[in-house]
Amino acid sequence: MLPRENALGKSHKAAPFKQMFTLMADFARDSGDAMQENPRLLASKLTQERRSWLAAERLLELKQAELFAANKKLGQHAQQLSAEISETRAEVETIRGENQRVKSHLSAANRKVALTERRLWQSIESITDGFALFDGDMNLIMANRAYLSVFDGLEEIRPGVNYVTILQAMTDEGIVNPGSFGPSGWRRMMTERIQEPRPEPVVIQLWDRAYIRFMDQRGPDGDLVSLGINITATVKYEQQLKEARTVAESANRAKSAFLANMSHEIRTPMNGVVGMADVLADTGLSDEQRLYVDTIRNSGEALLVIINDVLDYSKIEAKKLELYPEEFDLERAIQEVLLLLQPSAKAKGLSLVLDYDLFIPTQLIGDPGRIRQVLTNLIGNAVKFTTEGHVLVRVTGVPSETTHRVKLHISIEDTGIGIPEDKIGHIFGEFNQVENERNRQFDGTGLGLAISKQLVEIMDGEIWVTSEEGVGSNFGFKVDLGMAGETEDRLEKPLQGLGQIVLLSEVEVKRVLLADQLEKLGAAVIACDTGEAAIQQLSPKTGLLLVDHDSAVGADLAFGEAVRAQDAEVPILLMSTNPGSLKGLPIRELAQGTLQFPPPRKDMIGQITALSRHQGFEPSAPEPLLPRVMRILAAEDNKTNQLVFRKMIKDLEVEVTFANNGEEAVALYQEISPDLIFMDISMPRMDGKEATRHIRALEEELQVHVPIVALTAHAMTGDNSEILEAGLDHYLPKPLRKPDIITRIEAVHHSKLAPLRRPQSAD
């Protein structure tokens, strides 16, 4: 480029010189001619030529300057172009190096892909499960040996074959067992399945009884990955498990039947033993005889507790324990439990105290039997492990006006031996007891607390324990129960304005709690711990003297005489854990009434109101006898149990007729038209459930309904659902309890019948 530009520059530079020489030649020629013609003309031409010459020189200089600038610019351009060429060459070399590296990496990547693909395929070939890949048209792309081994000998099953052809070959060659589908139905099922976006797994059985589970996954481009897993071992194991489960369930049913039969066989004679011991205890006995009777009764009760625990835990373990909610009186239920445990507590000198919050209702909806069972376990446990002091049952709660429910907190506090801190976490375990020298004297199955925990949790509640060794324990649980009926009266103060109540008790926990309850009911209370202090508090404002007879001073005749000497008119109300035992005592002759302790709320309010009013007891006129007494039909084949039943209700004004079997019960029902029926379930010739069905059929014609209470010692079939389905209304287990029998009778009794109890003279 540069030489070509220099040559071009020389050409442009020579042109002016050539022109100048031409002009000079012309000038010489012309001047010669002119000089010949005229000297003046010659001088003029020389001047003109000189000017042209100067002009030519200036033009030459100008062109030289332009040529220099062009050469300079051309040089710069050449230099820049040379630099760009150098950079381009460097970039080309760089790109060439990058291309080499890319080619190297690509080659390495291809080798790795090939290696990975080879290893992947080797892995797929090595697995024992079948693997196949189909394209979007369901043509086989590839398959491992395990997949193709099923079609051994069939050359058409190779890459490129369609899925439908594979299915056809499997049925035609007898490779697969189509089962109830049949060959065509099986192929249709498999074809429809594979067309789903996400095919569900399917299990097929091959000719050799192998079971294959096919799992298929469709890819984004329509390809299908099919995996066939051999689950023959799993199927056989499941069959073995099923057979083992069948055997276990059969054994469990046999165990349940055994427990049920054993329960029946044990409870039936135990009903006679415990029942007759109760009846015998109410007769005149010497101290030695009473000791023997109490021993028989306590031993029977202990055996029944063990039987009940084992059977209940068996039900809970089998998840067959159900709740049967109904309306019940919680305060009364607790009172009954305390009454049951009073003999044990009294023998140890313990005070059983109930603090039932007066601002929560007593009529609730729940399973009274199971709640009573939890209370019996917890309170009985507290009594068993307490040697001195008291056991306090505290009931609090938060009623909800919007949901008509109450959140109950029930705690049982004792002053017993307590539980070591490292043992508290295990106290609710099965067969767990805190073992040490101090409590080895206490017997039990170790199931009571475990059962209580399970029952509370079934009721959607929570149970807990806090304890300090050597100080005492606090077991508590909370449940959410419905409120039955109206509760507007729970904020009233029925004892307001009835005068002062002087309360005497030497036991501090009794004195404090009773004073608090009476004050909440509106009474003005003066609490005293000695007889002298109580007598000093008597005044014209005193409406009642409430005395704890179980304390030493309360049972002292001298104290009663001193009271009468101070104030002959003041009413005296004696509290006792066993009011019936006060009959005939001298101190009882000085008193105007007795009250069960812990006192039921309604009884306490009624007695205090009656005695405080006008400072004297004025019994109401007895109700007139009605035309007939209540009629009860009892179906019971065991003569001993008939005797026990009769003795339990001997204090009631009722007419009892016994049937020895179900057939007699149906006949007597039509004959005597009973108001209530107690029906034993296990009887000869016709059992209680069948007899009930016959009676219910008769009632449909008469448009009547007589309550029927089931009696059974067959605890394992004591599922209320099974018994109630036969038409029975209630359920009582054996051995029978006198309070339960009387409760059922009282629930059926109505105002059109004669009073249940004979009029009592003042005692």
Side-chain angles (χ1 to χ4, degrees), residues 86 103 154 168 303 335 361 414 419 506 529 547 627 645 717:
S86 299
K103 289 180 180 179
L154 296 178
Q168 187 75 39
L303 179 58
Q335 294 280 359
D414 65 60
I419 306 170
E506 294 177 294
D529 58 355
V547 180
F645 187 90
T717 56

Side-chain angles (χ1 to χ4, degrees), residues 532-545:
E532 293 81 2
I535 293 174
Q536 291 176 2
Q537 294 297 333
L538 298 179
S539 69
K541 296 181 180 180
T542 303
L544 176 70
L545 177 59

Side-chain angles (χ1 to χ4, degrees), residues 343-402:
S344 300
K346 191 172 183 179
K348 302 170 76 171
L350 303 178
S351 297
L352 292 183
V353 187
L354 172 61
D355 181 16
Y356 197 107
D357 190 346
L358 299 176
F359 293 95
I360 61 175
T362 60
Q363 294 294 323
L364 302 170
I365 298 176
D367 189 328
R370 295 305 177 184
I371 292 177
R372 190 181 288 109
Q373 184 177 358
V374 174
L375 290 168
T376 302
N377 282 335
L378 297 183
I379 300 173
N381 206 58
V383 172
K384 182 167 66 173
F385 291 99
T386 302
T387 56
E388 60 180 0
H390 67 269
V391 174
L392 169 62
V393 182
R394 195 185 304 274
V395 182
T396 59
V398 181
S400 172
E401 299 295 342
T402 56

Side-chain angles (χ1 to χ4, degrees), residues 553-612:
V553 65
D556 190 1
L557 177 61
F559 166 73
E561 292 174 342
V563 171
R564 287 287 167 249
Q566 176 72 15
D567 188 342
E569 301 297 330
V570 64
I572 300 176
L573 182 60
L574 297 178
M575 293 184 302
S576 174
T577 55
N578 187 9
S581 65
L582 304 183
K583 186 180 296 185
L585 296 180
I587 188 66
R588 177 66 182 89
E589 300 299 327
L590 297 176
Q592 280 64 50
T594 60
L595 182 64
Q596 173 72 43
F597 185 87
R601 185 188 312 185
K602 293 181 180 179
D603 292 348
M604 181 173 66
I605 294 174
Q607 291 233 44
I608 293 176
T609 300
L611 294 177
S612 298

Side-chain angles (χ1 to χ4, degrees), residues 27 51 101:
F27 173 74
R51 291 177 181 169
R101 283 193 294 272

Side-chain angles (χ1 to χ4, degrees), residues 175 203-212 230-232 236:
I175 297 174
V203 177
I204 66 172
Q205 185 182 22
L206 302 182
W207 63 275
D208 58 354
R209 296 189 177 183
Y211 289 89
I212 307 297
N230 191 324
I231 60 170
T232 306
K236 291 181 179 179

